[in-house]
Amino acid sequence: MIDINEIAGLSHYLAMRNQMAGALVFDGHAPTPEEEDIKRDCRQLSDRICIELSGCKEEDIPILLECYDLTYRMGYSRMPDMKFIERNRERIIQAWENGNRGIEESVVFSILSTPCGQTYGTDNKRRSNTYRLLLDRWTNTLRMHNRFPDATTYENYQRLALIMHENLPEETKYTWYEHNRIGDLSSPGSTILRSYRRFANALFPDILDYDEHVSLDNKILEELCTRKDLNPYDRKAFRLALSFNKAMA
């Protein structure tokens, strides 16, 4: 039986190691031995995830697919087969449409809110209509309540992170930020705090300027680094992210 948390944590850790090693600096440099080691580990992990995707539960597809896309790009230095990606995205959408409660609306919206999420689909009109339906429902809910009262706290921040990228008035987004900001970062559980970090990262540049964004991110990272309930790979990745932020300051 696969350990989703371990795969996600290892993917996260490899991505941060890749960034710290300078692999994302496209200056024509020859890959260092460390970069080559990371690429090898990414290839091995992406190949493993590819096998797991063929027989996993539908609710596990979103995390596995995100990890596969990330590790494949880092390991093979090219995009994965988009037909393969699309087949799995369609599995997610169909499972959600068929009532799979393990798939959150934020997962479906994330697929449909990207250009390829609608244009690669076998039924573009259906996908476009679903995206518009969710967007209208989400914005109406937020205008009434400033949050998603019927969603979990984790899903609330997942949706808010996505809605911040939509073409909406900055004053409206700021209102939603004010109603959902967390004062004491030690109070939420680790899963919620990770979701809150995604929301916080979506606030730049419309709501927070660069310095405000990095300052908040560092505070969240410092708290996440203390969470012993997180996968060890995740804690290592958060430490690297904190070091990277401070090195860039």
Side-chain angles (χ1 to χ4, degrees):
M1 184 175 180
I2 60 172
D3 187 333
I4 296 293
N5 289 331
E6 182 180 355
I7 288 177
L10 181 54
S11 300
H12 182 199
Y13 176 54
L14 288 172
M16 283 311 307
R17 279 188 61 199
N18 205 37
Q19 188 171 40
M20 292 292 287
L24 301 183
V25 178
F26 303 107
D27 56 2
H29 72 276
T32 64
E34 182 182 9
E35 289 178 62
E36 292 291 0
D37 286 346
I38 296 169
K39 286 171 69 70
R40 182 201 62 230
D41 291 344
C42 285
R43 289 194 295 270
Q44 292 175 349
L45 183 56
S46 69
D47 291 348
R48 176 188 169 194
I49 297 172
C50 184
I51 295 171
E52 298 291 352
L53 276 166
S54 64
C56 70
K57 295 184 292 186
E58 289 152 337
E59 55 266 34
D60 289 339
I61 299 173
I63 294 176
L64 288 175
L65 193 62
E66 181 179 352
C67 294
Y68 172 76
D69 189 19
L70 176 66
T71 54
Y72 188 98
R73 290 169 189 260
M74 292 190 298
Y76 290 98
S77 299
R78 63 176 184 267
M79 290 178 61
D81 180 0
M82 289 308 298
K83 290 182 180 179
F84 177 78
I85 297 291
E86 176 51 36
R87 284 197 302 272
N88 282 284
R89 284 175 173 166
E90 184 61 23
R91 286 173 64 196
I92 294 169
I93 295 172
Q94 287 187 1
W96 175 75
E97 290 175 335
N98 291 333
N100 188 325
R101 301 291 179 127
I103 297 173
E104 300 282 7
E105 283 186 11
S106 60
V107 170
V108 176
F109 189 88
S110 179
I111 294 172
L112 300 181
S113 61
T114 58
C116 63
Q118 295 181 36
T119 58
Y120 279 114
T122 55
D123 185 348
N124 295 341
K125 184 177 181 180
R126 158 178 155 262
R127 289 193 173 195
S128 180
N129 288 342
T130 301
Y131 162 73
R132 180 53 57 183
L133 176 69
L134 286 174
L135 179 60
D136 289 346
R137 178 146 54 82
W138 284 11
T139 51
N140 288 337
T141 299
L142 285 172
R143 287 184 176 120
M144 289 178 63
H145 305 285
N146 292 310
R147 65 184 308 276
F148 296 96
D150 296 330
T152 63
T153 305
Y154 170 85
E155 174 68 1
N156 180 65
Y157 286 120
Q158 293 292 102
R159 294 183 191 181
L160 284 166
L162 291 165
I163 210 77
M164 289 295 162
H165 293 296
E166 295 294 322
N167 185 23
L168 297 168
E170 288 185 15
E171 312 82 59
T172 304
K173 292 181 181 180
Y174 188 81
T175 298
W176 297 338
Y177 163 60
E178 283 291 308
H179 279 83
N180 289 276
R181 67 192 305 179
I182 296 176
D184 179 7
L185 294 172
S186 67
S187 61
S190 300
T191 301
I192 292 173
L193 188 58
R194 293 187 65 168
S195 185
Y196 184 70
R197 185 187 181 215
R198 179 169 290 192
F199 166 57
N201 286 338
L203 299 173
F204 172 77
D206 289 350
I207 308 304
L208 302 180
D209 63 26
Y210 179 78
D211 289 338
E212 291 171 328
H213 161 247
V214 173
S215 175
L216 176 57
D217 193 41
N218 285 346
K219 291 175 184 177
I220 297 172
L221 288 170
E222 286 169 356
E223 180 61 34
L224 285 169
C225 288
T226 70
R227 301 299 180 92
K228 293 195 167 54
D229 60 327
L230 289 175
N231 181 279
Y233 286 121
D234 270 321
R235 286 204 306 276
K236 290 180 182 179
F238 288 131
R239 291 190 194 106
L240 289 177
L242 184 58
S243 296
F244 181 81
N245 280 359
K246 290 181 177 180
M248 295 297 290

